[in-house]
Amino acid sequence: VQLVESGGGSVQAGGSLRLSCVVSGWPYSTSGVCMAWFRQGSGSRREGIASIDSAGRINYADSVKGRFTISRDNAKNSLFLLMNNLKPEDSDMYYCAANPDVCGADRVPYPASLAYWGHGTQVTASS
């Protein structure tokens, strides 16, 4: 299984970016799949920021609610994250992750709950 992120870059604070994650080699059924976005800066723990599963359940971290939108295109095996009104504190490495199960009902899953990860894409928002 391979996950490849793209779409990161540098923007001014208040700007927008759209991250993409393409999944290949998925050996499981496409039902009951949890996909999520995480971010991590150097020396800090990995933070779950948004998740979506095959049942359509979506969760966001409080820090991004109202600014970020997660979506998926099952036909293209792709996951997206639209990030609006970016702030300097959003600057991090962003990772997508997937697991052959549904996501939690009321929060973004913990990193240990997801089996497959991409290598990340850097997002920088400067003031």
Side-chain angles (χ1 to χ4, degrees), residues 32-100:
V33 179
C34 176
M35 300 191 75
W37 289 99
F38 292 76
R39 63 187 182 189
Q40 184 175 22
S42 58
S44 61
R45 65 181 179 86
R46 194 162 288 191
E47 176 191 12
I49 55 174
S51 63
I52 183 170
D53 67 14
S54 303
R57 285 180 292 203
I58 294 176
N59 287 297
Y60 294 101
D62 289 343
S63 58
V64 305
K65 264 180 198 172
R67 299 188 299 123
F68 290 10
T69 303
I70 189 171
S71 61
R72 60 194 284 173
D73 184 336
N74 292 330
K76 296 182 179 179
N77 296 323
S78 296
L79 179 71
F80 305 100
L81 185 68
L82 176 61
M83 305 183 294
N84 293 322
N85 191 21
L86 281 161
K87 303 176 180 180
E89 53 264 40
D90 293 319
S91 299
D92 262 333
M93 187 71 80
Y94 282 68
Y95 301 88
C96 71
N99 203 60

Side-chain angles (χ1 to χ4, degrees), residues 9-53:
S10 297
V11 296
Q12 293 288 325
S16 298
L17 285 172
R18 185 177 187 247
L19 304 184
S20 299
C21 172
V22 178
V23 181
S24 60
W26 189 258
Y28 309 100
S29 168
T30 55
S31 63
V33 179
C34 176
M35 300 191 75
W37 289 99
F38 292 76
R39 63 187 182 189
Q40 184 175 22
S42 58
S44 61
R45 65 181 179 86
R46 194 162 288 191
E47 176 191 12
I49 55 174
S51 63
I52 183 170
D53 67 14

